Amino acid sequence: QLACQSLQDSEESTKRKTKMLQDQVQILKDSVRKKGDEIEAARKEAVGKLNETSQFKSLKKMVSTKNDQIKQLRDRLAKYEPQAAEGGIELEAESSSEEDEQNSDDDF
């Protein structure tokens, strides 16, 4: 009977420890989730501040201007080389070495 009581005490102790650990895990999960939210909020704030800096605004304006220039140049190029506007210029294959040999034999 003493061994049975000891076993029951051990089981109860294990259950209490398990419950305590599960509670700690839940607390830690909540803490991690909260910190993740804080990090995301800080990231958004940093991005917002970056977008408001004069350097970023200047760079953004420069990129926009260059994009407009590229569009204009593509339009001008399309007038002179329409195939370039369709996705590129097709290159013709060079003649094979057998054709070169035949052509060189014809020269004699």
Side-chain angles (χ1 to χ4, degrees):
Q1 191 177 27
L2 185 60
C4 187
Q5 182 65 31
S6 177
L7 186 59
Q8 286 176 348
D9 290 345
S10 177
E11 286 179 13
E12 287 179 22
S13 175
T14 302
K15 287 179 182 179
R16 280 194 307 272
K17 287 179 183 178
T18 302
K19 175 69 172 138
M20 185 177 68
L21 290 173
Q22 287 174 342
D23 291 346
Q24 286 179 349
V25 166
Q26 188 59 44
I27 289 169
L28 290 173
K29 282 182 179 180
D30 292 343
S31 177
V32 167
R33 189 177 307 113
K34 185 185 253 185
K35 289 296 179 188
D37 292 345
E38 289 174 14
I39 289 170
E40 182 63 22
R43 187 192 68 76
K44 286 180 180 179
E45 182 181 346
V47 168
K49 286 181 180 179
L50 175 69
N51 289 339
E52 296 302 316
T53 63
S54 61
Q55 294 93 341
F56 185 81
K57 288 178 180 179
S58 175
L59 180 63
K60 193 172 178 180
K61 184 177 179 180
M62 257 194 296
V63 169
S64 178
T65 301
K66 291 296 178 185
N67 282 338
D68 291 342
Q69 288 176 348
I70 289 171
K71 287 176 189 175
Q72 291 171 356
L73 290 172
R74 283 185 180 149
D75 291 342
R76 286 178 55 192
L77 179 63
K79 290 179 186 177
Y80 300 104
E81 296 182 25
Q83 66 271 36
E86 295 172 2
I89 300 171
E90 289 195 32
L91 301 175
E92 293 182 21
E94 293 182 11
S95 61
S96 68
S97 59
E98 290 178 9
E99 290 175 358
D100 290 342
E101 288 175 11
Q102 288 177 355
N103 290 338
S104 64
D105 291 343
D106 292 343
D107 292 341
F108 292 110

